[in-house]
Amino acid sequence: MAGNSRQAGTSVTSRALAILSAFDEQHRTLSLSDIATRADLPLATTHRLLGELHRWGALDRLPSGEYVIGRRIWDIGHLAPTETGLRQVAEPFLHDLYGATLATVHLAVREGTEVVYLDRLRGNQSVPVVSKVGGRLPLHTTGVGKVLLAHAPAEVQDAVLASLTRITPYTITQPGALRRQLRQVLDKGYATTHEEMSLGACSIAVPVHRHDEVVASLGLVVPTLKGSEQRLYGALHVAAQSIGRRL
Amino acid sequence: MAGNSRQAGTSVTSRALAILSAFDEQHRTLSLSDIATRADLPLATTHRLLGELHRWGALDRLPSGEYVIGRRIWDIGHLAPTETGLRQVAEPFLHDLYGATLATVHLAVREGTEVVYLDRLRGNQSVPVVSKVGGRLPLHTTGVGKVLLAHAPAEVQDAVLASLTRITPYTITQPGALRRQLRQVLDKGYATTHEEMSLGACSIAVPVHRHDEVVASLGLVVPTLKGSEQRLYGALHVAAQSIGRRL
DNA sequence: GCACAGCTTCCGTTCAGTGGAAGGTCGGGC
DNA sequence: GCCCGACCTTCCACTGAACGGAAGCTGTGC
């Protein structure tokens, strides 16, 4: 039989990791064939490696035969500094901010030209949001994103402003308009959005500093900022200062 | 040179996973030598595999040369059903519970003879707790643990009751006394603790049902239950019922 | 009952992986 | 400033873990 007509230069480890990479937010449950396709691996190879990942707990197999990310990955994911550093320090402040405002609370960082959500608190009465912990959204359409973009290096700003995707009719897609807003973010110390990411959702966000560096952004999402902008800014600012002092 | 005096029967994938397994709550930052020792691998092998895991993002290397779990693991950990199922459904209820009580809120499941914490909310004024998301604690000393133990199969109860470790002077270590409490948990519908896990911390917890099965426990940690036990039980019960209906 | 899609198993061949040893780097102690 | 020890990095001849096409199996839909 055939076999051993392998792709030269590909390690076993990189194949196993390619299998893990096949999963994303749009693909949380995958069949063996799906994984083989997405990881660009032969079926037999995929089958063998899936068996090993499953035995260790990196993946689980559903009764339907499909695979999902396993508890073991969730477990060791919690050992990442992302989890034990900024998030852990910020956590009680986020909870207090939620308790004080009952608005959706976000803690986010910039990664390249995107926002990554490290934490999110929301109640049943909160404005529906599309953010997810671990998920990514654009920098130009979110409050936390505008804060992070305003404090980003020029080359990041240039890259983002060269490609402003419209998400709602209110999304800012003119580079000039966004640049003016980013300057205002630096002047005022906070950013706002008005239905630019989701209809019915407005937001306000502030930077979290470690020494002089902006390491994260803290934000709130509410139905409207009318009449509450300064109050929310005050609460955010205090929380962000407290977090920054503990870092 | 030597080389190729490999341990027979060990796959590359299992070695890479052994490296990831070297990390735990007590060992979040490890040197190359530490990892080699803990994964039972030769230095050269460890070095090569660490390079691959690092390139993919499963691990990061600190300026000191030590390794930590990388963002990539954190990212895909969020795709686990643990994250997208029970936790996501429960999240707004937990936040509301926190908003209503300002107590530390726990969502936990049983895994073998331990409690695993899926979520935890706490503010700056909350009672200090030792729980961590992704972390484990004993079943017999925590409120959520007693609930999960009361609803566990008999063989799990037997195993736990055969080995009741004392953690504080108030920890229940007599099997008869704990059995009586577990019966009370079933009768009353909730469990309590009084400084059995940590001095200064009392707790109350209820089961979360999916159909007839207890799939999790929801709990609160407070300085004292005096004068508030029924109120807290009411809040927990309503939240747990709501979560159960959404599952 | 048949066709098809997806999964599982096989196994001769081969190259990715092996790890002891040597060399390099760095930090601490004197 | 030097020395030592701990730790990390690199090498490479040899070999067995890994390879994957093909065949077989299973379940589903028509």
Side-chain angles (χ1 to χ4, degrees), chain A residues 9-177:
Chain A
T10 308
S11 70
V12 177
T13 307
S14 68
R15 289 161 175 241
L17 296 171
I19 286 178
L20 293 180
S21 302
F23 294 86
D24 62 27
E25 281 191 22
Q26 285 72 46
H27 305 87
R28 297 179 148 180
T29 303
L30 291 168
S31 69
L32 191 151
S33 302
D34 287 336
I35 293 170
T37 301
R38 292 173 62 77
D40 194 27
L41 293 171
L43 283 170
T45 303
T46 305
H47 187 262
R48 271 188 302 102
L49 294 175
L50 282 173
E52 288 213 68
L53 291 166
H54 179 257
R55 276 192 290 285
W56 184 79
L59 295 173
D60 283 329
R61 198 165 197 186
L62 302 177
S64 66
E66 290 170 306
Y67 292 86
V68 292
I69 295 292
R71 269 295 306 280
R72 210 58 193 275
I73 299 290
W74 189 83
D75 282 344
I76 64 172
H78 278 92
L79 302 173
T82 308
E83 190 70 34
T84 63
L86 176 55
R87 271 197 85 198
Q88 193 128 23
V89 168
E91 184 200 335
F93 298 100
L94 269 58
H95 294 155
D96 286 343
L97 200 53
Y98 176 77
T101 63
L102 294 187
T104 296
V105 183
H106 283 137
L107 180 70
V109 295
R110 181 178 66 79
E111 201 163 89
T113 56
E114 294 184 303
V115 179
V116 178
Y117 287 86
L118 298 190
D119 218 340
R120 177 192 73 177
L121 280 78
R122 64 191 178 114
N124 285 289
Q125 305 306 317
S126 299
V127 166
V129 290
V130 294
S131 58
K132 287 192 181 86
V133 174
R136 290 169 163 67
L137 286 177
L139 286 165
H140 67 297
T141 59
T142 59
V144 289
K146 288 181 182 178
V147 167
L148 295 166
L149 185 56
H151 291 92
E155 61 269 22
V156 173
Q157 293 182 347
D158 291 341
V160 171
L161 270 78
S163 174
L164 298 174
T165 311
R166 180 178 300 277
I167 299 185
T168 77
Y170 302 97
T171 304
I172 297 172
T173 53
Q174 290 164 318

Side-chain angles (χ1 to χ4, degrees), chain A residues 1-6:
Chain A
M1 70 266 306
N4 204 39
S5 46
R6 76 176 79 185

Side-chain angles (χ1 to χ4, degrees), chain B:
Chain B
M1 65 267 316
N4 205 40
S5 46
R6 76 178 81 185
Q7 303 178 24
T10 308
S11 70
V12 177
T13 306
S14 69
R15 288 161 177 242
L17 296 172
I19 287 178
L20 294 180
S21 302
F23 295 86
D24 63 26
E25 280 190 22
Q26 287 69 46
H27 305 88
R28 296 177 150 182
T29 303
L30 291 167
S31 69
L32 191 151
S33 302
D34 286 337
I35 294 169
T37 301
R38 292 173 61 79
D40 195 26
L41 293 170
L43 283 170
T45 303
T46 304
H47 187 264
R48 271 186 302 102
L49 294 175
L50 282 173
E52 289 212 68
L53 291 166
H54 179 257
R55 276 192 289 286
W56 183 79
L59 295 173
D60 283 330
R61 195 165 200 188
L62 301 177
S64 64
E66 290 169 304
Y67 292 86
V68 292
I69 295 292
R71 267 299 303 282
R72 210 56 193 277
I73 298 290
W74 189 82
D75 282 345
I76 65 172
H78 279 93
L79 302 173
T82 307
E83 190 70 33
T84 63
L86 175 57
R87 269 196 87 199
Q88 195 129 25
V89 168
E91 184 199 333
F93 297 101
L94 268 60
H95 294 155
D96 285 343
L97 199 53
Y98 177 77
T101 64
L102 295 187
T104 295
V105 182
H106 284 136
L107 179 71
V109 296
R110 181 177 66 81
E111 203 162 86
T113 56
E114 294 183 304
V115 178
V116 178
Y117 287 86
L118 298 190
D119 218 341
R120 178 192 73 178
L121 280 78
R122 65 188 176 114
N124 284 289
Q125 305 306 317
S126 299
V127 166
V129 291
V130 295
S131 58
K132 287 195 179 85
V133 175
R136 289 168 163 67
L137 286 176
L139 287 164
H140 67 295
T141 59
T142 57
V144 288
K146 287 182 184 178
V147 167
L148 294 166
L149 185 58
H151 292 90
E155 62 268 23
V156 173
Q157 294 182 347
D158 291 341
V160 170
L161 271 77
S163 174
L164 296 175
T165 312
R166 181 177 297 275
I167 298 183
T168 77
Y170 302 98
T171 305
I172 297 171
T173 54
Q174 289 164 319
L178 187 60
R179 280 198 188 281
R180 282 194 292 280
Q181 281 206 2
L182 297 184
R183 279 200 283 276
Q184 280 188 312
V185 170
L186 297 180
D187 288 343
K188 296 195 298 182
Y190 66 93
T192 59
T193 61
H194 301 272
E195 299 191 279
E196 295 156 56
M197 181 68 228
S198 306
L199 296 183
C202 301
S203 69
I204 177 167
V206 298
V208 177
H209 291 84
R210 176 161 56 204
H211 311 310
D212 293 331
E213 191 191 7
V214 170
V215 296
S217 178
L218 184 62
L220 294 170
V221 182
V222 288
T224 180
L225 288 168
K226 283 198 178 84
S228 61
E229 187 164 322
Q230 287 306 310
R231 180 175 66 84
L232 295 178
Y233 168 64
L236 279 168
H237 185 69
V238 164
Q241 295 278 74
S242 300
I243 295 168
R245 269 197 287 278
R246 294 280 195 91
L247 292 176

